[in-house]
Amino acid sequence: MREGAQLTQAETGNRYDVFHTDCPARDVVDHVTSRWGIWVLISLRSNDLRFYELRNSIQGISEKMLTQTLRALVQDGLVWREVEPTTPPQVTYGLTEFGQDIGEPLTDLFDRITQRLPARSAG
């Protein structure tokens, strides 16, 4: 069973006013650019991962923060969540089409940053 909502524009076709505090798109931007949101999206860019695989791929994140971040990204429609009814349940996460669209420029940004940083010296 997959969970995940898709953020859609109002049927009137009006664009979101992201500078207004009540704009739902602003919440999505906050979640994507949160301390851990960007790392979750980058970690899921090429593979669907189980919870513990995802936690192990992001050094420094606690289970609590990963759970909160995933919950927000699933609610925003960026990440899907699939629960296999086993004992214990196995939960897998992956990017929705919306999440892939958002994650692509983040991955480009990450790649540009890491390519432009000076090489670290050993020691």
Side-chain angles (χ1 to χ4, degrees), residues 30-104:
D30 287 345
H31 296 151
V32 168
T33 60
S34 70
R35 179 171 182 188
W36 300 111
I38 192 169
W39 299 115
V40 168
L41 294 174
I42 289 172
S43 293
L44 291 173
R45 72 183 178 262
S46 56
N47 293 316
D48 301 340
L49 297 172
R50 291 203 172 131
F51 181 87
Y52 288 104
E53 293 172 324
L54 189 52
R55 188 197 66 197
N56 291 338
S57 74
I58 306 171
Q59 293 185 5
I61 193 169
S62 68
E63 285 189 29
K64 178 182 177 181
M65 286 310 303
L66 179 56
T67 299
Q68 289 176 355
T69 302
L70 285 167
R71 190 174 292 137
L73 295 174
V74 167
Q75 184 177 356
D76 292 340
L78 297 167
V79 171
W80 56 260
R81 176 181 187 262
E82 186 172 36
V83 180
E84 295 178 38
T86 58
T87 304
Q90 294 180 353
V91 184
T92 304
Y93 295 90
L95 294 179
T96 64
E97 185 178 331
F98 183 32
Q100 291 170 358
D101 287 346
I102 299 300
E104 192 172 312

